[in-house]
Amino acid sequence: MSGKILRDGAIIDPNASQRLTSATGKPTVTVLDYGSGNVRSAVRALERAGAEVILSAKPDDVLNADGLLVPGVGAFETVMRELKSVDGIRMIGRRVAGGRPVLGICVGLQVMFEAGVEHGTEAEGLGEWPGKVELLPAAVVPHMGWNTVTAPAGSKLFAGVENERFYFVHSYGVQHWDFDVIQPRMAAPLVTWSEHGAPFVAAVENGPLCATQFHPEKSGDAGAHLLRNWVDGLRRPASGGGE
């Protein structure tokens, strides 16, 4: 890998063309670079979690990394438009269809749903999950600060931090979950909830596709532990042959 060094080997290299590999054996993670605010905190947090990280929108980087992180701040419709501008929607869909891990954060969670409604305008989402992002019915928005979550049994993301607080900054959320498991062998997604005016989806774990409404990279030790859980899940099985 080559390019501008950010920190501990993380690079910005939108023109990279080689398959992502790590000389140290660390899992590789691409943070999708589509203009979503300040993502350097996410890059640093993933590095501390044990990943080799690059910030890129190059298809080779997005599709070939062990994991893809989709950040997101701002308006739902704007994030969708910016994702389209870098062909992010197609690339996210290809990874999910191929069973390659994806983690969305904040609006990166919201756009995984069917639609978002902000200021009376409805915008189409990626449609990976049914549901609509709507204004939280709380006396005070945005929901800004630390809050608890209710994680389901069997959660891998929240293993070891089920009772911790995480940092939220949002005015909109998914308040209803209705997911039909169509295939008999298909496991139902694991949904974690929080509450601000009403219960809302705080995180989803659905095979290769996971997402959090809160910001793990801003959630102190609990967020760092959650990111380590995700990065550890990216590690490739050791090949046979007596290494």
Side-chain angles (χ1 to χ4, degrees):
M1 292 175 14
S2 63
K4 180 180 178 181
I5 301 296
L6 285 180
R7 179 178 179 274
D8 295 338
I11 65 172
I12 298 177
D13 186 10
N15 297 313
S17 59
Q18 296 181 353
R19 179 177 175 83
L20 297 186
T21 59
S22 170
T24 61
K26 296 179 179 179
T28 56
V29 174
T30 294
V31 176
L32 185 56
D33 183 18
Y34 66 96
S36 177
N38 181 9
V39 296
R40 293 185 182 227
S41 59
V43 169
R44 291 193 293 268
L46 286 165
E47 290 175 334
R48 290 192 294 268
E52 182 132 350
V53 188
I54 107 171
L55 180 64
S56 175
K58 178 75 175 177
D60 284 349
D61 298 337
V62 173
L63 296 173
N64 294 329
D66 295 322
L68 173 68
L69 186 136
V70 182
V73 295
F76 185 105
E77 186 174 21
T78 300
V79 168
M80 284 297 297
R81 182 169 61 248
E82 291 174 342
L83 284 172
K84 288 178 182 177
S85 73
V86 297
D87 201 23
I89 294 172
R90 182 188 66 85
M91 293 189 291
I92 292 168
R94 279 191 60 184
R95 283 193 64 96
V96 173
R100 305 297 303 279
V102 175
L103 176 65
I105 290 178
C106 198
V107 185
L109 170 142
Q110 295 180 3
V111 295
M112 300 299 172
F113 287 85
E114 290 176 319
V117 179
E118 296 185 5
H119 309 294
T121 300
E122 181 168 324
E124 183 179 1
L126 276 69
E128 294 291 344
W129 300 315
K132 187 177 294 186
V133 179
E134 299 176 291
L135 183 67
L136 295 173
V140 176
V141 289
H143 172 215
M144 182 181 297
W146 298 83
N147 205 345
T148 56
V149 301
T150 302
S155 170
K156 294 181 179 179
L157 270 186
F158 290 90
V161 288
E162 300 90 341
N163 300 315
E164 299 295 333
R165 292 176 176 264
F166 297 87
Y167 190 78
F168 293 83
V169 184
H170 64 117
S171 298
Y172 297 82
V174 176
Q175 298 160 50
H176 306 284
W177 176 266
D178 184 16
F179 187 96
D180 292 327
V181 177
I182 300 173
Q183 300 178 10
R185 297 183 181 179
M186 181 180 181
L190 298 178
V191 182
T192 294
W193 295 85
S194 189
E195 186 166 347
H196 184 70
F200 66 87
V201 173
V204 181
E205 299 167 67
N206 183 200
L209 180 59
C210 297
T212 67
Q213 178 62 72
F214 55 84
H215 288 269
E217 78 281 11
K218 298 179 180 178
S219 294
D221 291 343
H225 189 112
L226 183 144
L227 286 175
R228 281 196 301 273
N229 287 344
W230 184 69
V231 170
D232 286 347
L234 304 178
R235 297 185 186 277
R236 298 169 183 169
S239 58
E243 277 193 358

